[in-house]
Amino acid sequence: MPLRERYTGLINHYRDRLPVDENTRLISLGEGNTPLIKLNNIPALIGKKVDIYVKYEGLNPTGSFKDRGMTMAVTKAVEEGSRAIICASTGNTSAAAAAYAARAGITAFVLIPEGKIALGKLAQAMMHGAVVIQIKGNFDDGMRLVKEVAEHAPVTIVNSINPYRLQGQKTAAFEIVEELGRAPDYHCLPVGNAGNITAHWIGYCEYSSASGDHVTAACAFCNGECKFARGAVVDNRPKMVGYQAAGSAPFMRGEMVDNPDTVATAIRIGHPQSWDMAWKVKEESGGWFDECTDEEILAAQKLLTEHEGIFCEPASATSLAGAMRDIKSGKIPEGSSVVCTLTGHGLKDPDTAIKQSTAPLLTVEATLDSVKSAILDNMS
Ligand code: F0G
């Protein structure tokens, strides 16, 4: 008899809130159940009394939150008889699609912007055996092409326009509510296509009496009549705050951006797919959108690695960069509880990390004397 129940992934864990039944074959890699880590040092560094938690989604099986949506999307694709999936991606979706397709024994086609995805993500897609199609264009071009090609070929789209993706991703909000005993006051996320901020809101609504018996947010899956909602548990919902990279910030411009650019390649998106839903989330939750410069994003990434021991990729650090600014200014008041989602692991993008690292990389002779002096010279 095992000493504790084996965790076998988020669909099994939340099966009464997800569109599956007892006959559904689950395609899972044990995703979800990620740590919610309370920051020890950063609140003091910024001189404010707030509880900041990071939801470390980089600890999912392929290193990003995409696994939550992909387990659902691939499970349903297989259930519906699909033999192939397709996505456009800035990297993480392609890594997750490739892995879950491998698990299911089906084919993944992934369209990525040539030269604009982090190395780790490319390695994942290639190693899992996806058909990788690099396009001489950006993510938004890829998304347009995927939608077009899916009308002519027997492939299931697994971008977040696939409603099952948001259903899987909403479970991150469930985990947070269960762990804190209530919803946080603020939930900060990096925003690209805006699928994840929408999915979190669906999750919080399903867990809250504030939204009545069922989801009031624009649930792409059920149009607000979610038969999978289990009913209210807590009576609050967070303000949802979405941060974009300044060079790719259509929500700040109030219109689509044609040539997005940022060091945070994961959110280098000018034409968000969940545009209307994300505006609705902002309105319903009383939150806001804002933007962070590349410098702010990289500084937050570094602060987190150096002062908390947590390594996330640049796009993920956008949530903390924005939250820190809003905490400092008082827009997020002292006494608040704040959750920042760290969407992807820092190992995804080693090039950017090494480029901005200032830690000394010492090379010395293989002798006791040289190693000893290297240590003594660098004692802090
Ligand atoms: N953070 C990371 C690390 C991401 O990879 C993405 C999106 C986001 C944030 C934004 O999430 O699109 O739901 O608002 N990456 C997609 C991809 C586009 O292809 O991997 P969103």
Side-chain angles (χ1 to χ4, degrees):
M1 186 69 175
L3 291 180
R4 66 183 171 94
E5 198 188 331
R6 212 165 82 78
Y7 179 84
T8 53
L10 61 86
I11 301 182
N12 202 24
H13 194 70
Y14 291 113
R15 57 165 58 240
D16 58 340
R17 293 181 177 209
L18 292 167
V20 290
D21 61 36
E22 63 281 5
N23 299 318
T24 309
R25 176 185 156 216
L26 306 188
I27 312 297
S28 170
L29 290 165
E31 57 294 309
N33 198 22
T34 55
L36 184 68
I37 306 171
K38 189 170 178 183
L39 297 188
N40 277 342
N41 304 314
I42 289 179
L45 285 175
I46 58 179
K48 294 284 185 182
K49 286 196 171 52
V50 279
D51 288 337
I52 309 177
Y53 300 86
V54 292
K55 181 74 170 157
Y56 197 10
E57 290 287 276
L59 292 194
N60 275 299
T62 77
S64 88
F65 74 96
K66 302 289 180 181
D67 296 342
R68 290 185 187 272
M70 205 53 74
T71 184
M72 232 8 278
V74 175
T75 289
K76 294 306 280 188
V78 168
E79 186 174 67
E80 288 159 12
S82 183
R83 299 293 311 148
I85 57 174
I86 190 167
C87 65
S89 181
T90 55
N92 282 323
T93 301
S94 64
Y100 284 82
R103 182 82 167 159
I106 62 174
T107 306
F109 297 97
V110 304
L111 269 70
I112 54 170
E114 185 191 23
K116 290 290 184 185
I117 85 165
L119 207 61
K121 304 174 189 179
L122 183 60
Q124 288 178 290
M126 292 171 73
M127 279 300 281
H128 288 303
V131 179
V132 179
I133 305 167
Q134 299 198 72
I135 58 163
K136 295 180 192 305
N138 61 26
F139 169 85
D140 303 310
D141 298 317
M143 198 61 242
R144 176 178 45 80
L145 288 163
V146 159
K147 285 183 194 166
E148 283 170 22
V149 84
E151 290 189 3
H152 301 284
V155 288
T156 302
I157 299 178
V158 293
N159 282 103
S160 56
I161 55 170
N162 176 327
Y164 298 121
R165 279 276 310 276
L166 301 194
Q167 286 295 305
Q169 285 170 215
K170 74 181 181 185
T171 60
F174 294 168
E175 291 173 13
I176 292 165
V177 171
E178 284 164 12
E179 204 162 331
L180 296 180
R182 65 192 297 276
D185 299 319
Y186 297 86
H187 190 134
C188 306
L189 294 115
V191 169
N193 269 319
N196 209 24
I197 195 167
T198 305
H200 276 77
W201 186 240
I202 293 170
Y204 283 122
C205 289
E206 286 186 20
Y207 230 132
S208 166
S209 54
S211 57
D213 289 331
H214 53 68
V215 186
T216 61
C219 172
F221 180 69
C222 67
N223 284 327
E225 292 165 6
C226 197
K227 62 183 183 208
F228 302 104
R230 194 155 50 189
V233 174
V234 294
D235 62 4
N236 72 320
R237 294 180 295 178
K239 290 185 173 21
M240 302 298 295
V241 186
Y243 297 108
Q244 299 215 281
S248 310
F251 285 102
M252 294 310 293
R253 308 290 163 265
E255 60 183 13
M256 302 298 170
V257 169
D258 279 338
N259 292 301
D261 206 14
T262 168
V263 69
T265 51
I267 50 172
R268 189 171 166 270
I269 294 171
H271 290 238
Q273 297 298 309
S274 296
W275 179 256
D276 292 339
M277 289 198 286
W279 282 111
K280 207 164 168 217
V281 169
K282 171 194 164 292
E283 293 305 320
E284 283 189 13
S285 75
W288 61 88
F289 294 117
D290 209 338
E291 61 192 303
C292 301
T293 63
D294 281 0
E295 292 70 32
E296 286 177 300
I297 292 169
L298 293 178
Q301 182 196 23
K302 203 145 182 268
L303 199 70
L304 202 53
T305 50
E306 289 183 351
H307 293 279
E308 300 285 356
I310 301 167
F311 192 18
C312 68
E313 67 171 287
S316 309
T318 311
S319 57
L320 182 66
M324 285 195 308
R325 187 187 331 122
D326 286 335
I327 290 168
K328 276 188 210 159
S329 75
K331 189 169 186 181
I332 294 177
E334 284 198 292
S336 302
S337 65
V338 183
V339 170
C340 294
T341 297
L342 301 180
T343 43
H345 202 287
L347 292 172
K348 293 268 189 177
D349 190 354
D351 297 301
T352 308
I354 289 171
K355 237 181 264 166
Q356 67 146 340
S357 172
T358 47
L361 187 61
L362 308 172
T363 307
V364 300
E365 294 301 325
T367 65
L368 179 59
D369 274 353
S370 333
V371 174
K372 207 165 86 185
S373 56
I375 289 172
L376 294 177
D377 291 349
N378 286 284
M379 286 293 243
S380 53

